[in-house]
Amino acid sequence: MAPPSKAGAALAALREDLVGDVFAPWDVGYDEARTVFNAMIDRRPAVIAQCVDEADVVRAVRFARDLDLKVAVRGGGHSVAGMAVNDNNLVVDLRHMRAVDVDPAARAVRVAGGATMSDLDRATRPHGLATTGGRASTTGVGGFVLGGGTGWLDRRCGLAVDNLLGVDLVTADGDRLHASPDDHPDLFWALHGGGGNFGVATALTLRLHELPEFAVALLLYRPESGRDATRAYRDVIESGPDEAGGAVLYLTGRPAKFVPPHLAGALVCAVLLTYAGSAAGLREVAEPLLALPHEAEIVGPMPYADVQCMFDEPPGMRNHWSAEYLSGAPDDLVDVFCTRGEALPVPTGSMHTLFPQGGAIAAGPHGFPVPYRDAPWAVHPFGLWEDPADDERCVRWVRGVRPEVGPWSTGAVYLNFIGDEGPDRIVAGVGAGNARRLGDLKRRYDPDNVFRFNHNIRPI
């Protein structure tokens, strides 16, 4: 950090030059500005620059370089590890940069770096178009896409990075560039899974797909029926079309109109079958699941943008997640998954999920640093709770899942689903064969590792 006199002068200049707001620890609004969705994260940046356009981002990054500060980038603030905020350094906060511009004729959309899935999905819906987004409407588009991007549409539309057409980036030197297949193609490759290691993504252009109809079946089963339901869902997916997706989820029943009173606050096995098509098509695919005895159901058309909100988390909750990508989902794996689901901490907001890949994911381009592409199934223990007194039991439950499903692990992992699990897991998230190439590109574009608050790729 620079001497106090230089730092004070630089901060005053940043306040003057930035169109957006600047927060230091003594400012009113600082605590609100540093709060992220995971309530377990409590970090105190030296400065938070709330940028309103790309020029603001350039000013903020150059300010950081002048004072030898490292930079965290906040889009949606949804990283479970709290990577959107740091201690004693700079946060480039993009939350005011949320514009979404749809080009229906080109079937493309340009999304500003601070936009969330809700911003994207609501903008594309009137055109009958969509692209693969996260499984919550509050997820930031930028971090989601650059990390790979898996969601309810990926079996039909591919991973989010498979639909990436271009990225506007501010580099560690404060330079602006555009990465695409024709411009900086090596950097463009790195942005397909390399996350925020290479700069601040101020805008992303994504391919859109026709999605005039969408439908879901959400079925609730007693936990003792979980094995039958999970096997039925597996069989439906493995024999069904790419339009079918969703997940099996163990969770605490929430008070809702369609949830019977005896399931509210109790452990439930839920099957969510999503269908990128008509309600009639959904019912045909869902028939084996509907034939099983179940406690409640919602079956029918639902706008994709609304489905994206079904598992939104309330603010202020504590989070701990992990994931394992699997070589298959045989009956033995189903038994292990359901056993761990039956141990879910209840009542909390935690969820234990098994979801499919395959389809357009497996058929997509294999050159990108997304080594989990070929795994047909994945397990995602998602710890979510409110009371700090539950920290130990919820974290212990999440950490207990990976060893149990280890015999079926491919060794690869989607980094957006995990916190800080060590350097070996970062390599597992980009692929051992890609790690050196990414390190070489990191040395070229960010040799001082300015952008280190992420699943960090070190310069080599």
Side-chain angles (χ1 to χ4, degrees), residues 1-2 46-47 60-61 63-72 86-91 449-451 453:
M1 181 74 176
V47 179
V61 171
F63 163 83
R65 298 314 307 268
D66 287 345
L67 297 184
D68 194 27
L69 296 173
K70 308 307 179 185
V71 178
N86 55 32
D87 283 318
N88 305 315
N89 282 277
L90 174 71
V91 171
N449 205 11
V450 172
F451 300 107
F453 302 103

Side-chain angles (χ1 to χ4, degrees), residues 199-260:
V200 184
T202 57
L204 303 92
T205 303
L206 301 167
R207 181 184 299 108
L208 295 173
H209 303 259
E210 288 189 357
L211 191 70
E213 295 182 279
F214 199 75
V216 300
L218 178 60
L219 308 175
L220 302 185
Y221 302 86
R222 291 180 180 271
E224 55 266 31
S225 299
R227 285 165 175 77
D228 290 340
T230 302
R231 285 192 288 265
Y233 175 76
R234 174 201 62 196
D235 294 345
V236 161
I237 292 294
E238 292 185 347
S239 63
D242 294 349
E243 285 78 8
V248 179
L249 310 97
Y250 279 83
L251 45 77
T252 301
R254 302 175 182 178
K257 288 183 178 179
F258 82 102
V259 177

